[in-house]
């Protein structure tokens, strides 16, 4: 008789009962963003339940967890992209540099300039490479002259590791690049407005290993200047690029900790199961 | 298991059989498709060749050459070549002299019959010529005048020589004149200048489409100016801003229903609202434009909404994520991407409006208007209504002119569609 229960056969609802408090230290010394008791509802569906976490300055935080656990939902709360979904309701408090971003007085336009976003599928505008990168600075009025704008475009593309590949064809459509190049173009576009935080939702899921390696390297370099939150399904990727890792499960934040610790000695049994590939 | 599984060989054989069946079905399917296309094309060819073969003669008519002595005393009685003086003049007399000289007609009846060979529009043409260039006074000019439509019909063979004189619209004497003039090469079959420079006229040989074409252009200008901005704005609001609730749902259903409302209903509406309530005059291109705009709006709104819906959400996300405001997302990204679809819808709507007759009949654009409209508030008619009227006239010559006018209408439609393609290509090139 075998008494060990295979975790994958258990019903998720039953497992959810085991989650009460987030394991690990959710707070950091110098937070750039803080989320407190965040609840998200899509209509009746309770997609995020009571999540509290700090995102430290110049830190790379990885969100991991099984599909549908609410990683994207929570990430999209951080720059209020969920505002565009009619049925979505966000409660709780999310601060950027000490100020509540859901305060009625806050304008989402400047907020999104400070908290940029890179999406799962590369989505360059159907415009030229130059215009793609110049779009943010233009709409936010960051540059006074064409020369200044040229400078910003070059710097952003250089930081995104794309300058050498595209400098001779800046006037060609961004949609004509390869998938990996397009994703780096989207990153260049996001950093062109000098945001404080960059949110990345599975930025490498549509890319091959070489393009992925380039992006990971890029994230590593960008972390000296920006705060980065990355959602990923690849545990290796989380391990390679992030300083801290947060494990989500069924809308709850189960465990947070330094990446090394999460991957070597997870505290919660759910995290353990996920890390070891027994679940999710 | 009770039954043994089939061997791979058996399976392969069965697959082969089913594959053959599938191919046969596919071939049948393709054949049906090709037949359908061939039938459609066949009808199109028949349609076009009938219209073209009937319409081309409408672009021509017979002209008679006359040496006209532009007698200064008759044409310019006051001798100062002023407009008033020229309008007091007597071009009829001048023309009569030229006709009598050319035909050698004599006697009261002979002269009368000879003068009837020339279109009654010839006098106006003569006066217009002098008005344009008073220096011609006193000279003798060789001028081509349109022949009367009965003469034209005779020359085209619609009026038969064999018919007894009493049943014929031309007398034996007139036929004699015509034969003689023809023998001298003084009657020619030429490209009709009346068709393009004339307007509605009771005289078939003088009738032209100019007034109707101008009327159509004026009317459609109003339609476009109203329907395109309102249609696009409505579509953008409904698609991008309006909350999804009961009210917007009702609006949506009603717009879809409006697209299916018979066009004559819009005419009744126009009659009641614009003419009855606002007191506009009848037959105005302005009112016609209003009515056609109402009719075209649903088409434009529906196609614009479809075009907006087709814009990938990832582009919106990208722009919103960059901190663009909703209006910026729409003006910078969504509208340029949706524009080709919106333009296509608009041009389809405009093409419908161009060919529309029924609603315009309701607001009196069917009135017999000789002058070409010069503004939006000058009474006028439009091309399809003109065609409709001509098709109703008894004179033989109108048959050809009707077909010619249809050809002109078709040309406009083709030009508009070509424009749609060009515009679409132009916008698409901006990816
Ligand atoms: N627009 C929406 N409307 C309604 N429910 C939604 C919407 N977006 C997400 N959800 C629901 O919220 C829950 C969390 O979804 P979310 O996309 O955040 O998951 P995720 O962790 O990002 O999953 P994945 O790893 O597959 O991307 C899911 O159960 C999903 O069905
Ligand atoms: Mg996701």
């Amino acid at each position: 008789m075998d008494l060990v229960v295979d975790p994958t056969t258990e019903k998720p609802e039953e497992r959810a009962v085991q989650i009460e408090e987030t394991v690990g230290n959710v707070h950091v010394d110098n937070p750039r963003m803080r989320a407190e008791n965040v609840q998200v509802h899509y209509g009746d569906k309770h997609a995020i339940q009571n999540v509290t976490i700090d995102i430290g300055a110049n830190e790379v935080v990885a969100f991991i967890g099984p599909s549908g656990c609410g990683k994207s939902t929570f990430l999209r709360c951080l720059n209020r992209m969920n505002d565009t979904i009619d049925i979505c309701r966000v409660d709780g408090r999310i601060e950027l540099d000490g100020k509540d971003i859901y305060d009625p007085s806050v304008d989402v336009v400047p907020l999104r300039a400070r908290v940029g976003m890179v999406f799962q599928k590369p989505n360059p505008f159907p415009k030229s490479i130059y215009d793609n990168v110049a779009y943010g600075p233009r709409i936010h009025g960051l540059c006074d002259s064409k020369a200044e704008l040229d400078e910003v475009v070059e710097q952003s593309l250089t930081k995104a590791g794309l300058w050498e590949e595209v400098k001779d064809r800046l006037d060609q459509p961004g949609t004509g690049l390869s998938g990996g190049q397009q994703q780096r173009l989207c990153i260049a576009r996001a950093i062109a407005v000098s945001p404080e935080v960059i949110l990345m939702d599975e930025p490498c899921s549509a890319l091959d290993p070489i393009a992925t390696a380039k992006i990971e390297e890029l994230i590593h370099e960008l972390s000296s200047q920006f705060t980065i939150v990355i959602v990923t399904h690849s545990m290796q990727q989380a391990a390679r690029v992030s300083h801290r890792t947060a494990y989500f499960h069924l809308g709850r934040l189960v465990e947070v900790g330094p990446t090394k610790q999460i991957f070597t000695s997870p505290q919660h049994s759910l995290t353990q199961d996920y890390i070891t590939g027994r679940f999710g | 298991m009770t039954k043994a599984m089939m061997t791979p060989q058996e399976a392969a054989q069965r697959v082969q059989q089913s594959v053959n069946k599938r191919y046969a079905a596919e071939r049948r399917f393709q054949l049906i498709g090709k037949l359908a296309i061939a039938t459609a094309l066949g009808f199109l060819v028949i349609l076009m060749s009938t219209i073209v073969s009937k319409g081309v003669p409408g672009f021509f008519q017979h002209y008679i050459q006359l040496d006209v002595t532009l007698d200064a005393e008759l044409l310019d009685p006051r001798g100062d070549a002023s407009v008033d003086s020229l309008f007091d003049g007597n071009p009829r007399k001048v023309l009569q002299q030229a006709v009598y000289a050319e035909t050698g007609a004599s006697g009261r009846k002979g002269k009368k019959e000879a003068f009837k060979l020339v279109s009654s529009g010839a006098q106006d043409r003569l006066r217009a010529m002098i008005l344009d260039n008073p220096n011609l006074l006193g000279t003798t000019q060789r001028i081509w005048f349109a022949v009367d439509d009965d003469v034209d019909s005779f020359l085209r063979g619609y009026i038969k020589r064999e018919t007894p004189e009493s049943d014929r619209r031309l007398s034996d004497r007139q036929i004699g004149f015509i034969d003689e003039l023809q023998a001298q090469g003084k009657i020619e079959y030429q490209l009709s200048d009346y068709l393009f420079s004339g307007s509605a006229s009771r005289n078939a040989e003088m009738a032209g489409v100019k007034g109707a074409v101008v009327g159509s252009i004026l009317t459609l200008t109003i339609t476009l100016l109203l329907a395109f901005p309102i249609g696009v704005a409505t579509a953008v609001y409904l698609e991008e801003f309006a909350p999804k609730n009961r009210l917007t749902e009702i609006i949506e259903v009603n717009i879809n229903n409006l697209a299916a409302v018979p066009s004559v209903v819009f005419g009744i509406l126009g009659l009641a609202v614009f003419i009855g309530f606002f007191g506009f005059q009848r037959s105005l291109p302005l009112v016609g434009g209003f009515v056609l705009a109402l009719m075209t709006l649903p088409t434009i709104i529906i196609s614009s909404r479809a075009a907006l819906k087709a814009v990938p959400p990832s582009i919106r996300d990208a722009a919103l994520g960059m901190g663009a405001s909703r209006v910026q997302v729409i003006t910078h990204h969504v509208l340029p991407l949706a524009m080709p679809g919106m333009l296509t819808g608009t041009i389809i709507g405009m093409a419908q409006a161009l060919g529309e007759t029924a609603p315009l009949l309701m607001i009196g654009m069917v009135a017999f208007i000789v002058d070409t409209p010069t503004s939006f508030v000058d009474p006028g008619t439009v091309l399809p209504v003109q065609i409709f009227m001509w098709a109703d006239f008894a004179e033989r010559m109108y048959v050809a002119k009707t077909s010619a006018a249809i050809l002109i209408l078709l040309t406009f439609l083709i030009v508009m569609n070509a424009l749609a393609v060009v515009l679409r290509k132009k916008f698409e090139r901006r990816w």
Side-chain angles (χ1 to χ4, degrees), chain A residues 221-242:
Chain A
E221 277 160 26
L222 293 176
S223 66
S224 63
Q225 203 183 336
F226 304 98
T227 300
I228 296 173
V229 184
I230 178 170
V231 171
T232 177
H233 273 289
S234 154
M235 270 163 299
Q236 292 85 342
Q237 183 168 68
R240 280 192 298 263
V241 302
S242 70

Side-chain angles (χ1 to χ4, degrees), chain A residues 42 45 47 65-74 85 87 120 201-202 231 233:
Chain A
Y42 288 112
K45 188 178 162 57
S67 184
C69 66
K71 307 179 294 292
S72 302
T73 301
F74 185 67
I85 301 169
I87 56 166
Q120 178 168 1
D201 194 350
E202 300 180 43
V231 171
H233 273 289

Side-chain angles (χ1 to χ4, degrees), chain A residues 94-113:
Chain A
I94 299 178
E95 287 176 3
L96 174 63
D97 295 330
K99 190 156 181 2
D100 186 3
I101 63 170
Y102 278 89
D103 192 88
S105 68
V106 169
D107 186 356
V108 292
V109 167
L111 170 70
R112 289 183 190 146

Side-chain angles (χ1 to χ4, degrees), chain A residues 7 16 28 43 80 174 246 276 278:
Chain A
V28 296
R80 291 184 57 178
T276 52
R278 276 193 280 166

